[in-house]
Amino acid sequence: MIKRFVYLDNAATTKLDEDALEAMKPYLIDEYANASQPYSFSRKSRNAIGKSREIIASAINCLPEEIHFTSGGTEGDNWVVKNAFFYNKNKKIITSKIEHHAVLNSAKRVEKWGGTVSFLEPTNLGLITKEELESKITQDTSLVSVMMANNEIGTIEPIKELARVAHANGSLFFTDAVQALGKIKVDVKELGVDMLSSSGHKFNGPKGVGFVYIKKGTKIVPFLDGGAQEGGLRAGTENVAYIVGMAYALEKSLQKIDENSEQLKRLEKEFFASLNTNGKEYVVNGGEEKIPGLISISFKGLDGEALLHLLDLKGIYVSTGSACDSKRINISHVLDAINLEEDWARGTIRISFGKNNRIEDAKYCAKELSTILKLL
Ligand code: PLP
């Protein structure tokens, strides 16, 4: 019997959109010129980068020159957080306890360099409230960094309110929008953020490419010194094909954002409708407002890693909520921060549907998980 293949880990990465691949191909094969050369052979590559910058700028409502291409979300997060320290060594950085490690470990690096960092506590739903920020922010804060949507539990943060508090206290505001862009509407002007990071492979673009929005006039040190690419802020020969693929995939996902979101919610509903936990107690983590298609589910007394491997045997790919970095071994820093009891946290899996998933995938996953739960 052919083993089914049901990929349900779209929060980790997504399949490259085939039309995006077609858009990339010319720049991988025939149009391979270095985009920075003055001769006519470079024109197409240079124009393709310019067009991609315009597409992305229009997608998040900013100016094209405010977009800086990077190698992905990790790079953008490192750049912005460490930049805050370079410019204001005596001021503090505020971030949350539930950020991706790209932000958290950049903040911890700043601490090692002698900087001061405060970590905001989330509520049990994973929300970073305005009140929590108000309790920690002081006039000597250089940067507040809070993610737009959490990658483990999907909670969408009140970015607009948080940015307002940051600005009222003379601080810049940065948001890691890696999980949000392509799934929920993002308008940097409406939100009032100064900087934002994103990554192509989370919305069916290629891996290894992303961008940072940096509001015009914001003081920023170059991330990479070298040539004059990206306004002199991020040197290195441009990855033309990948930039084109990312812009294409983003534009495509935004054209169908409402339709995709409805479909992802239908998949979630179908999963729960078809799930028979056979008496096993469970909780669904995260807030009321969350990224569509992401389910973080915890089963009391079970082992999330065992569930992952048992589903793997059925051709279903999900992830756990664990990363061995916390004081409670095998419990993710996010589940730890939202105070999920150890007994539950250990039994957590994350299912993240994507645009290629169908109702049958949700049903199949629920059916196989039900069988596993019955046996355990
Ligand atoms: N930030 C968040 C919230 C993420 O989910 C991820 C990836 O999982 C990253 C940053 C890192 O992005 P990249 O894989 O492009 O470096």
Side-chain angles (χ1 to χ4, degrees):
M1 201 178 84
I2 299 168
K3 192 172 151 187
R4 276 184 77 160
F5 173 84
V6 178
Y7 181 76
L8 302 180
D9 198 17
N10 290 277
T13 196
T14 57
K15 183 179 179 181
L16 178 62
D17 180 89
E18 284 179 24
D19 295 332
L21 174 64
E22 287 308 313
M24 291 166 70
K25 270 185 188 166
Y27 303 97
L28 289 165
I29 302 164
D30 297 324
E31 300 296 339
Y32 56 84
N34 184 318
S36 299
Q37 288 295 37
Y39 42 65
S40 58
F41 179 38
S42 291
R43 204 173 298 141
K44 267 203 175 159
S45 302
R46 195 160 48 247
N47 289 347
I49 294 176
K51 178 86 186 120
S52 301
R53 209 184 296 282
E54 280 170 17
I55 291 171
I56 291 173
S58 136
I60 64 165
N61 191 22
C62 70
L63 299 169
E65 59 267 34
E66 292 175 318
I67 298 294
H68 303 276
F69 294 119
T70 63
S71 66
T74 301
E75 181 180 320
D77 291 348
N78 269 262
W79 187 3
V80 174
V81 174
K82 291 172 182 173
N83 175 75
F85 176 70
F86 285 129
Y87 266 110
N88 292 293
K89 293 207 167 45
N90 299 320
K91 288 194 170 185
K92 81 172 171 192
I93 292 171
I94 299 182
T95 189
S96 84
K97 285 195 169 172
I98 58 166
E99 299 297 304
H100 187 272
H101 282 114
V103 167
L104 269 187
N105 289 344
S106 294
K108 286 178 186 165
R109 179 73 57 205
V110 165
E111 279 187 321
K112 283 192 189 125
W113 288 338
T116 308
V117 184
S118 281
F119 295 92
L120 302 168
E121 298 279 351
T123 65
N124 290 351
L125 298 177
L127 266 183
I128 305 296
T129 63
K130 166 174 158 276
E131 291 73 25
E132 168 67 1
L133 177 57
E134 280 167 344
S135 76
K136 297 233 163 70
I137 199 163
T138 49
Q139 293 296 319
D140 65 349
T141 304
S142 59
L143 180 76
V144 176
S145 168
V146 177
M147 68 203 319
M148 197 169 290
N150 185 269
N151 48 304
E152 286 190 35
I153 57 175
T155 303
I156 297 174
E157 303 300 343
I159 295 302
K160 193 172 172 175
E161 282 184 13
L162 297 173
R164 234 187 253 143
V165 175
H167 292 154
N169 287 275
S171 167
L172 291 172
F173 188 87
F174 165 59
T175 188
D176 168 340
V178 170
Q179 289 291 337
L181 196 63
K183 294 180 206 120
I184 58 171
K185 285 173 189 144
V186 175
D187 178 326
V188 291
K189 295 248 166 60
E190 157 79 14
L191 293 168
V193 301
D194 302 294
M195 290 167 284
L196 171 149
S197 63
S198 184
S199 180
H201 72 108
K202 304 289 185 181
F203 46 78
N204 303 94
K207 295 169 181 52
V209 65
F211 69 88
V212 183
Y213 153 74
I214 303 169
K215 190 173 163 187
K216 217 172 166 179
T218 307
K219 275 164 79 179
I220 189 111
V221 265
F223 186 70
L224 294 174
D225 290 304
Q229 294 93 348
E230 299 306 303
L233 293 176
R234 204 274 185 185
T237 302
E238 296 94 337
N239 194 352
V240 186
Y242 281 58
I243 290 170
V244 168
M246 169 169 66
Y248 189 100
L250 180 59
E251 192 173 38
K252 187 167 173 180
S253 64
L254 295 184
Q255 276 161 0
K256 290 194 167 178
I257 194 163
D258 293 330
E259 207 178 300
N260 288 343
S261 171
E262 285 312 308
Q263 169 68 0
L264 293 170
K265 285 180 193 158
R266 268 196 295 276
L267 293 171
E268 283 185 50
K269 247 185 162 166
E270 187 56 53
F271 170 78
F272 285 113
S274 306
L275 183 69
N276 176 358
T277 59
N278 289 291
K280 299 281 187 305
E281 283 183 84
Y282 74 95
V283 288
V284 179
N285 305 304
E288 299 255 298
E289 271 213 71
K290 61 177 202 63
I291 287 293
L294 192 154
I295 300 170
S296 168
I297 185 168
S298 305
F299 296 96
K300 192 177 183 187
L302 297 187
D303 177 5
E305 211 170 308
L307 293 176
L308 178 153
H309 291 298
L310 290 165
L311 288 168
D312 187 344
L313 292 175
K314 299 291 173 186
I316 301 165
Y317 302 94
V318 301
S319 72
T320 61
S322 69
C324 317
D325 68 328
S326 96
K327 48 192 184 301
R328 297 195 287 166
I329 296 166
N330 273 335
I331 294 174
S332 92
H333 66 286
V334 175
L335 301 181
D336 197 16
I338 63 169
N339 284 319
L340 188 66
E341 282 172 34
E342 190 161 345
D343 236 23
W344 293 89
R346 278 187 195 287
T348 304
I349 54 169
R350 179 188 69 183
I351 297 165
S352 47
F353 295 109
K355 70 165 191 171
N356 295 319
N357 290 126
R358 298 287 164 262
I359 293 286
E360 299 72 56
D361 298 334
K363 280 188 180 163
Y364 179 62
C365 176
K367 180 177 140 272
E368 293 302 333
L369 183 58
S370 304
T371 308
I372 291 166
L373 291 172
K374 194 171 178 183
L375 294 175
L376 286 177

